Amino acid sequence: MNAPYLRRPLKSRDIMMNVIIALAPACTAAVFYFGIRALLLILVCTAVCVISEAICKRSDVTDLSAVVTGILTALCLPATVSLWSAAIASAFAIIIVKQLFGGVGKNFLNPALAARAFMTLMFPAQMTSFTDPGTDAVTSATPLTHLNYSGYYNMLIGNESGSIGETSAVMIILGFAFLVYKGIVRPEMPFIMVGATAILTWILGGDAVGNVLSGGLLLGACFMATDFATTPCTTSGKWIFMLGAGIITALIRVYGAYPEGVCYAILIMNCLSPAIEAMTLPIPYATKKRGLI
Amino acid sequence: MQSFDGGIALGSLNRKNTRTQEVLRFAPPVVRLPVSCRRAEVKKGDKVKIGQLIAHGAVNSFATVAGTIESVDEKYITIKNDFTEKTVEHDVINESDFDKLDGKHLLSLLKNYSILGMGGAEFPAHRKYSTDKNIDAIVINGCECEPYLTCDYVLMRDNFEAVILGARLFQKIVNAKKIILCIEEHSRDIIDNFSSIEVMVFPDKYPQGSEKMIAVSGFDTEIPYGGFPEDCGIIVSNVSTCAAFATAVLSGLPPVKRLVTVDGNVQKPCNVEAPFGTPAGALLDACGGLTDGSGIILGGPMTGKRITDLSVPVTYGTNGVLALSPEDIKETPCIRCGGCMRVCPSGLTPFRIEEEYLAGRYSVCKQLRAEQCISCGCCSFICPAKRELAYNVTRAKERGRRN
């Protein structure tokens, strides 16, 4: 050990543990609305992620980062996907997206969202059929195509169709509040993304409130766009990231062929993240010039 | 008072337990004085008195106890203390004659006594004060921002006249317009002692005691790259340095001792007044010995050095001897939380510099301004991945300076 001999007790694992705790309300809502199927999805995805991480041996499984990826991967899948395709998606998230690029902290794409994009490509039928909560009947329509389908109140509490972890706005916000309380994420971040989407949707003539409460916007803004590895590490860089993700979400939702934009918006911003970070690095003492730029 | 960007509010970790303990005056049986880069003027068996020149060089070395030279080697001159406290002949100056001393004479005294900065860096004081720049203010640095250390606080509480007098002497040397004492909020209760000079009270934030941070917080300016505080019209000296100079000028003897905070896993943590050259082990024993097999740190917990050899002596810059039990920490990969960047008072990106340094891309480290690192340790402190950021960035800085 070198100086300083006094260190903050908080470890990486504690941060991951806090994120897991913060995801617990959303998981609970998922199981409440989508039943045992949701629980199975969460368990399978988490198990496959942890096993994949252990196989790669590049980083330590005990840092719990694979558990976070597993839970997030499950939360952005619909309840109807087959467990084996969810398992493939989870393995893809860890092995291809995370470990191939250097393991924890080195991946440039959010593994859970990359897995979701992968699923949409590989299993388009499974990814666009959502069940209504409490039934096994498949509704062929995606929830975003007819927004007032279940009413704002139901959207708020999560009683609507969608991916298992996306539906309950209340539970997602509750989990996020915990992260803010623990000082892991800055509180304004999701507001920027959600706000940008809402305002732009409203300007473009869409239903702002419905857009905020539906789809993966809240889950994405609170848990995916606040990921350390795939967003700029500077505070101003994070603001730009959030703003960009919010704008792209609205544009995809309003003009895109695909009704859900959050996943691709965040993935696109992930790619821009190193550039944003380089432009927003702090100015070193007495130099008046950013490093590298 | 405004503050600098970054840094850490240490809060409850900023332990200052030894403030209320009585100061222990300690006379060690032997002292070991470093001879590096100096020519020894004594040989084994010689009798020496306190204040006698024993090694000559750019920075002179003086006997800090009276006794017999036990050994002289390349590294240390060891003196066996006879506890007679005999001093060399010296001229005592009355404080009333203070006005007769002129700046030039004071500067030569500063050089002859070879007073070094007592805040930790041991920068020769005469080099600081032989500037021809216009100096606006002498800044007495009383920001004892590292946890555990309380020796500067105790000095400001008990011996404030010497601190002020020392600063006035410094003021004479460079014709400074004013004297300003800088302290942190946690030392506010000694503020009344310094009613005769201007006092700035900064919020408790580590590393406020760094010259660069004082320039920002107190004077809203930055010390230029590669420059010194004098380039901003200020000269910063530690409270102990001021007091040591005043005592030396008044007594006619070079400084031979300082206050050292001994804290951590020892029986009786307290401040000890010890001669330079007192071995760290002797100091720990004077405080009742260790309560467990701890790691011994010379200096503060943030920037100190860990020692394994307990015969390493106290020198000018040794403000603490701490017995801490550093946990066995395991480095894990960086998770890019950005914490190191937010706490860096120099506005650096430690995690990037570390990565580039470990990959051998030294020119990128230079582009990232690794040389602006002040080695305060904030980045390593905050890092949840427990990476040795401060250590590696410091190495990157040193490498950059060599090339």
Side-chain angles (χ1 to χ4, degrees):
Chain A
M1 187 175 178
N2 298 296
Y5 300 96
L6 194 66
R7 305 282 176 106
R8 183 170 69 145
L10 188 85
K11 294 186 174 69
S12 298
R13 184 190 307 173
D14 305 328
I15 293 179
M16 298 300 172
M17 194 65 217
N18 283 328
V19 176
I20 294 169
I21 295 169
L23 285 169
C27 291
T28 313
V31 177
F32 179 77
Y33 289 116
F34 297 97
I36 197 80
R37 185 80 194 168
L39 184 66
L40 274 176
L41 262 182
I42 293 169
L43 290 178
V44 166
C45 288
T46 307
V48 172
C49 280
V50 171
I51 293 166
S52 307
E53 179 105 338
I55 291 169
C56 290
K57 282 187 185 163
R58 199 195 278 271
S59 49
D60 189 4
V61 199
T62 57
D63 71 9
L64 299 178
S65 64
V67 178
V68 174
T69 305
I71 297 173
L72 283 173
T73 306
L75 291 185
C76 58
L77 295 177
T80 45
V81 295
S82 60
L83 291 179
W84 64 267
S85 52
I88 292 173
S90 305
F92 176 82
I94 292 292
I95 297 169
I96 309 287
V97 184
K98 187 176 167 193
Q99 294 296 346
L100 219 56
F101 287 89
V104 64
K106 297 279 194 295
N107 52 303
F108 78 102
L109 288 179
N110 186 306
L113 287 178
R116 184 189 157 118
F118 171 79
M119 286 286 282
T120 314
L121 270 177
M122 302 298 285
F123 312 100
Q126 288 189 31
M127 287 301 288
T128 45
S129 63
F130 298 89
T131 49
D132 284 340
T135 68
D136 282 332
V138 174
T139 62
S140 56
T142 60
L144 277 158
T145 48
H146 48 122
L147 271 173
N148 280 324
Y149 178 71
S150 49
Y152 293 152
Y153 173 72
N154 279 333
M155 293 164 101
L156 195 64
I157 61 166
N159 192 14
E160 57 164 336
S161 61
S163 298
I164 61 167
E166 292 176 351
T167 58
S168 175
V170 172
M171 293 305 228
I172 291 168
I173 292 165
L174 190 68
F176 180 75
F178 176 75
L179 284 189
V180 171
Y181 166 72
K182 284 283 176 185
I184 292 166
V185 190
R186 292 177 64 96
E188 77 274 17
M189 291 305 170
F191 290 97
I192 297 173
M193 179 172 170
V194 173
T197 306
I199 292 168
L200 191 57
T201 312
W202 177 73
I203 291 171
L204 297 174
D207 171 6
V209 182
N211 258 290
V212 168
L213 295 176
S214 64
L217 185 56
L218 283 172
L219 186 71
C222 292
F223 290 101
M224 318 276 198
T226 54
D227 175 32
F228 290 148
T230 58
T231 61
C233 65
T234 55
T235 303
S236 51
K238 284 182 202 294
W239 292 336
I240 297 172
F241 182 97
M242 287 289 176
L243 193 68
I247 291 170
I248 298 173
T249 301
L251 292 178
I252 294 178
R253 281 184 174 183
V254 175
Y255 296 115
Y258 182 68
E260 174 60 291
V262 177
C263 170
Y264 295 106
I266 293 176
L267 288 175
I268 290 167
M269 291 310 288
N270 283 165
C271 301
L272 295 176
S273 172
I276 299 171
E277 180 173 298
M279 286 186 291
T280 53
L281 282 182
I283 297 168
Y285 187 93
T287 54
K288 310 211 167 22
K289 241 174 87 184
R290 288 180 213 285
L292 282 178
I293 291 257
Chain B
M1 245 322 147
Q2 64 162 350
S3 194
F4 58 95
D5 290 337
I8 303 164
L10 286 162
S12 62
L13 287 174
N14 201 0
R15 162 182 153 135
K16 300 275 187 190
N17 293 5
T18 47
R19 279 188 171 178
T20 48
Q21 305 299 319
E22 208 173 317
V23 175
L24 179 75
R25 288 178 217 291
F26 180 56
V30 290
V31 293
R32 304 175 76 219
L33 296 154
V35 275
S36 61
C37 309
R38 289 162 227 179
R39 200 179 64 247
E41 302 277 340
V42 288
K43 56 184 193 300
K44 190 180 170 189
D46 285 0
K47 288 266 183 204
V48 292
K49 292 173 183 168
I50 293 175
Q52 183 176 334
L53 184 78
I54 55 166
H56 188 79
V59 174
N60 296 328
S61 185
F62 301 92
T64 58
V65 295
T68 321
I69 304 287
E70 207 170 61
S71 69
V72 179
D73 57 31
E74 297 98 67
K75 277 182 142 174
Y76 293 105
I77 296 173
T78 310
I79 307 173
K80 192 170 188 300
N81 193 352
D82 62 9
F83 302 100
T84 56
E85 309 272 319
K86 272 188 209 146
T87 59
V88 290
E89 282 185 27
H90 54 99
D91 303 320
V92 181
I93 298 176
N94 285 325
E95 214 166 320
S96 51
D97 298 334
F98 164 68
D99 290 337
K100 291 176 196 152
L101 299 163
D102 70 340
K104 241 187 196 136
H105 177 61
L106 286 169
L107 188 63
S108 72
L109 284 180
L110 205 53
K111 185 164 166 47
N112 290 344
Y113 292 148
S114 296
I115 295 176
L116 307 179
M118 291 168 87
E122 303 194 346
F123 190 80
H126 73 266
R127 279 176 54 196
K128 240 183 216 182
Y129 287 95
S130 46
T131 177
D132 46 13
K133 297 229 164 64
N134 266 336
I135 302 301
D136 188 45
I138 300 294
V139 178
I140 313 174
N141 187 356
C143 299
E144 201 169 36
C145 55
E146 286 208 49
Y148 291 94
L149 304 183
T150 59
C151 55
D152 288 352
Y153 171 85
V154 167
L155 191 71
M156 289 189 285
R157 186 189 61 198
D158 301 345
N159 205 6
F160 58 93
E161 297 100 337
V163 175
I164 298 171
L165 180 61
R168 291 211 191 287
L169 297 174
F170 285 147
Q171 183 185 23
K172 263 195 147 176
I173 297 177
V174 291
N175 286 319
K177 290 191 196 76
K178 54 185 172 180
I179 299 171
I180 301 168
L181 171 74
C182 291
I183 55 171
E184 283 188 290
E185 205 57 58
H186 60 71
S187 303
R188 191 180 266 283
D189 53 327
I190 52 92
I191 202 167
D192 292 339
N193 292 349
F194 294 92
S195 48
S196 61
I197 56 172
E198 193 181 332
V199 182
M200 287 181 175
V201 185
F202 300 129
D204 290 337
K205 191 160 78 163
Y206 180 81
Q208 181 61 68
S210 160
E211 291 178 337
K212 288 183 171 182
M213 305 312 128
I214 286 179
V216 173
S217 307
F219 303 90
D220 200 19
T221 175
E222 287 179 328
I223 300 169
Y225 180 62
F228 292 97
E230 62 189 60
D231 299 321
C232 310
I234 55 172
I235 297 186
V236 185
S237 272
N238 184 265
V239 282
S240 304
T241 320
C242 295
F245 185 44
T247 315
V249 169
L250 290 177
S251 69
L253 282 172
V256 292
K257 55 194 174 186
R258 69 158 295 146
L259 280 174
V260 185
T261 304
V262 183
D263 200 354
N265 302 324
V266 289
Q267 291 287 356
K268 284 177 292 186
C270 65
N271 279 289
V272 185
E273 191 183 75
F276 300 135
T278 304
L283 265 184
L284 293 166
D285 289 340
C287 293
L290 298 174
T291 51
D292 77 355
S294 312
I296 308 303
I297 287 137
L298 233 48
M302 302 300 282
T303 59
K305 279 198 177 69
R306 190 166 176 183
I307 55 167
T308 45
D309 176 6
L310 287 183
S311 67
V312 173
V314 167
T315 58
Y316 263 94
T318 312
N319 38 18
V321 174
L322 307 175
L324 304 179
S325 12
E327 6 159 15
D328 206 12
I329 51 165
K330 192 173 142 243
E331 279 188 87
T332 56
C334 170
I335 57 167
R336 285 176 42 89
C337 67
C340 54
M341 195 190 63
R342 279 187 287 280
V343 297
C344 180
S346 295
L348 303 179
T349 319
F351 76 96
R352 285 284 303 275
I353 298 174
E354 191 209 29
E355 190 185 352
E356 303 292 350
Y357 176 78
L358 294 178
R361 292 186 289 267
Y362 306 121
S363 60
V364 187
C365 295
K366 225 179 163 85
Q367 274 180 294
L368 287 164
R369 309 281 191 272
E371 283 145 77
Q372 284 289 8
C373 170
I374 58 165
S375 305
C376 63
C378 287
C379 46
S380 295
F381 172 86
I382 211 79
C383 182
K386 307 294 154 204
R387 302 199 62 78
E388 294 289 357
L389 293 163
Y391 175 70
N392 285 315
V393 177
T394 304
R395 288 203 299 173
K397 164 177 77 171
E398 282 161 3
R399 201 185 169 95
R401 287 205 174 144
R402 275 207 305 277
N403 298 340

